[in-house]
Amino acid sequence: MRKEGGSILVVSSDPQDFRSTGGLKEFYNAILVSSAPARVNIGQKVQVWIDGGIAESYPGQGKAGKVLVVPSSPRDGASLSEEEAIRQALKQEESRLEHMIPVIRAVHYDKQADTWMIQIKDAHERTEFDVQIKDE
């Protein structure tokens, strides 16, 4: 979701439900991963293994042991990849996202309209909005 120096912010798109223990209905794990490989780009899906412990803050903090980029499958008729569309949406909304921990809730490519719709939610709040990206 973000990249600063050698650190990346990784946010789960699958919420956990902690209502049974008095917590949130939608909790999104987020971790600031230091020592991340330079080849990791904003918008990519990744799996992260942490070397050592995770600081119990929000977002959590830990040092990358291993980072695996999960390839996205191409969308029929799309010029952009899913990760490129997400990256453009995050850049377009950069000022709006500055104080958020953004979660990508959904990504949809509309072949007829030749556009991507990226649904973004703030992990802390109920704020949710759609970003439309032309497939160029």
Side-chain angles (χ1 to χ4, degrees):
M1 300 305 293
R2 286 195 187 107
K3 189 173 182 178
E4 297 172 13
S7 295
I8 57 174
L9 177 63
V10 179
V11 183
S12 174
S13 58
D14 298 321
Q16 293 177 291
D17 186 345
F18 289 117
R19 286 180 295 182
S20 65
T21 57
L24 296 172
K25 175 183 176 184
E26 286 186 25
F27 175 81
Y28 295 89
N29 282 321
I31 185 165
L32 187 60
V33 180
S34 64
S35 302
R39 63 177 166 70
V40 175
N41 293 312
I42 293 170
Q44 290 179 314
K45 290 181 182 180
V46 295
Q47 290 182 326
V48 177
W49 288 262
I50 300 299
D51 187 17
I54 297 175
E56 292 189 27
S57 55
Y58 192 77
Q61 299 175 37
K63 183 179 177 188
K66 179 179 175 183
V67 178
L68 174 68
V69 175
V70 178
S72 60
S73 53
R75 301 288 173 103
D76 184 36
S79 298
L80 297 175
S81 68
E82 182 175 303
E83 69 186 59
E84 290 168 324
I86 291 171
R87 191 169 29 257
Q88 284 188 24
L90 293 173
K91 184 163 181 62
Q92 180 177 307
E93 299 296 325
E94 195 170 34
S95 63
R96 187 178 192 176
L97 300 171
E98 187 175 356
H99 301 291
M100 289 181 165
I101 294 182
V103 176
I104 302 297
R105 297 277 314 266
V107 178
H108 175 72
Y109 174 67
D110 182 339
K111 188 175 180 177
Q112 298 287 49
D114 198 28
T115 58
W116 290 84
M117 188 64 71
I118 293 92
Q119 187 180 56
I120 301 174
K121 177 180 176 146
D122 182 358
H124 286 236
E125 304 193 17
R126 301 193 192 287
T127 307
E128 194 171 301
F129 56 94
D130 292 333
V131 180
Q132 191 171 354
I133 300 295
K134 189 76 179 148
D135 188 59
E136 299 175 332

